[in-house]
Amino acid sequence: MFGATTLIVKIIGSIGAVSAGLDLGKEGPLVHIGSCIASLLGQGGPDNYRIKWRWLRYFNNDRDRRDLITCGSSSGVCAAFRAPVGGVLFALEEVATWWRSALLWRTFFSTAVVVVVLRAFIEICHTGKCGLFGEGGLIMFDVSNVTVRYHVMDIVLVVVIGIIGGVLGSLYNHVLHKVLRLYNLINQKGRIHKLLLSLAVALFTSMCEYGLPFLAKCTPCDPSLPESTCPTNGRSGNFKQFNCPPGYYNDLATLLLTTNDDAVRNIFSTNTPQEYQPLSLVIFFVLYCILGLITFGIAVPSGLFLPIILMGSGYGRLLGIYMGPHTNIDQGLFAVLGAASLMAGSMRMTVSLCVIFLELTNNLLLLPITMIVLLIAKTVGDSFNPSIYEIILHLKGLPFMDANPEPWMRNLTVGELVDVKPSVVTLHGVEKVAKIVDVLKNTTHNAFPVMDDGVVPPVVGQANGGTELHGLILRAHLIQALKKKWFLKERRRTEEWEVREKFTWVELAEREGSIEEVAVTSEEMEMFVDLHPLTNTTPFTVLESMSVAKAMILFRQVGLRHLLVVPKYQASGVSPVIGILTRQDLLAHNILTVFPHLAISKGREKRN
């Protein structure tokens, strides 16, 4: 997911897709690109060409890998929107499942570096060395030149925008879910079908963006504007002449025949009440609703931010035209509020979206009404369906855990959850090589409990031997033991100095390798491996009587990968561990597939 090949494809693909004028944003790919770069830097490069510098060993653990990828994602958001604080909050609100104070300043440092580098390149481009890329600055959609004035009655219109954004956002999520399920069926048929689908969408987009401006009427240029500004026939400029006579411009062509960023700047423009006609805005809104639904999901790197901003700004500006006589809010600000409401209604983010919009527009006076719009749109959208991110994660089958457990999880115990799973696969403290190879080849588990039989507990009056749970061993450590030929001819425990002589802690931090790469002879199959030194002797455990809701909170907040379930009653002949829970086991959807009766109670709770 974060390899070098993925990084190269994402960079080239996103450049080509955005340059082609498809209705997609570069924000989503930049988040993935930032995560890929962070992951590759942390591990010293791609798997086959990894740098073995000594200082890199400090990042060779799961926690620091997660932190680096989180910093990379926040840097991607910062690079896309030039919003350093918004990038930090985006990582906090959407990316990280386990947040702590150290991660806060690390992500903030990463976005600060991104802003400094961006500023340096912008200064270089202002000298004229970058052609058309020399325009703009750190503020992408500046609306600071207008004074925001509103009265108490204007809040009613703001509330209406929030409600519309929540309804349209949930409707967009519902239809996009259907489209993505259809695209999954098409993409499963092979690469040719993926290519044909992408070509069809690109062709349809080009036909619409060139053909639809013929439906718009020509608008006379403002006499106060210089003749070189309106109309324009070149690649840059805000007033496209298209098919209009001299002195007139086509407002729909101005929005469609330009880059997505320039289209947002045009529709966010303030103090321009007569620049766009209602019919042009209706066509623009309907077109981008259709393109936003059919473009996301094709075999092209794409983001959701910019398409949703374009849709929301379209209906926001349209609402501003009709409400102009009844409000003091500028049409361009209505477009900003419409974009914010649709994003909150679809993505269900609040704090990070609010800060991103403030950093995009550079107008702090928008803060109160933007907060109201975001909160109302999110509340309305949550009453219909989940966020678009949760829908996509569900379709892709990625085990991303929700922040809070479902209410019905309190009525289910982890023991009941373990009972419907296959029986746990365990290993002995000193295990035969043949058993280890068999377990690694025939299972996909990432960890195995290690047991010791015949252990006499240090309790007075109890002489019978029992079974002891020694700990948990990872698949990667088993593979390392087989690769290093850590074999014994007789069944015995090893000394600590023997382990340090054979393994280094840097090697044990590696997570790469598979059992297919290990060659074991028939003679070695009869030997033994002492697993005690390689075992984590303090794994997290829960009683089988604990509720799934409590187990999920523990699993998420501590950042676990495995959670051992132990029996409530200890007795001779009873295994000290009855199962292992992973992320997949604690996902609400997976639990409901095994316990369908809980879905009925879930629906009953919602009605009550």
Side-chain angles (χ1 to χ4, degrees), residues 50-65:
R50 190 174 296 179
I51 299 172
K52 298 293 184 180
W53 291 341
R54 285 186 60 84
W55 61 271
L56 282 173
R57 69 180 184 268
Y58 295 109
F59 303 105
N60 210 4
N61 59 79
D62 291 335
R63 190 192 69 177
D64 285 335
R65 282 183 190 143

Side-chain angles (χ1 to χ4, degrees), residues 125-146:
C125 288
H126 279 169
T127 61
K129 297 179 181 179
C130 303
L132 292 175
F133 297 99
E135 302 297 328
L138 283 178
I139 309 300
M140 293 182 67
F141 311 126
D142 195 350
V143 294
S144 60
N145 60 337
V146 61

Side-chain angles (χ1 to χ4, degrees), residues 2-62:
F2 303 113
T5 306
T6 305
L7 172 65
I8 295 170
V9 170
K10 280 283 181 178
I11 292 174
I12 298 175
S14 59
I15 290 173
V18 174
S19 303
L22 294 175
D23 181 30
L24 44 81
K26 59 184 181 299
E27 300 78 21
L30 274 174
V31 173
H32 199 169
I33 288 169
S35 302
C36 290
I37 293 173
S39 178
L40 291 171
L41 288 176
Q43 67 184 15
D47 293 337
N48 298 331
Y49 306 98
R50 190 174 296 179
I51 299 172
K52 298 293 184 180
W53 291 341
R54 285 186 60 84
W55 61 271
L56 282 173
R57 69 180 184 268
Y58 295 109
F59 303 105
N60 210 4
N61 59 79
D62 291 335

Side-chain angles (χ1 to χ4, degrees), residues 96-112:
T97 55
W98 184 36
W99 191 266
R100 62 188 195 282
S101 58
L103 193 56
L104 179 66
W105 71 262
R106 289 175 181 175
T107 51
F108 188 71
F109 174 78
S110 303
T111 55

Side-chain angles (χ1 to χ4, degrees), residues 326-379:
H326 311 288
T327 181
N328 297 320
I329 303 176
D330 189 272
Q331 291 180 15
L333 301 185
F334 264 102
V336 174
L337 295 176
S341 69
L342 191 59
M343 290 189 74
S346 176
M347 299 179 177
R348 313 292 158 80
M349 295 187 296
T350 51
V351 180
S352 57
L353 266 186
C354 186
V355 174
I356 286 173
F357 266 89
L358 288 181
E359 293 181 299
L360 280 174
T361 58
N362 195 30
N363 198 328
L364 194 60
L365 297 175
L366 281 173
L367 179 61
I369 52 178
T370 304
M371 292 171 65
I372 295 173
V373 163
L374 292 174
L375 290 172
I376 293 175
K378 181 187 185 304
T379 304

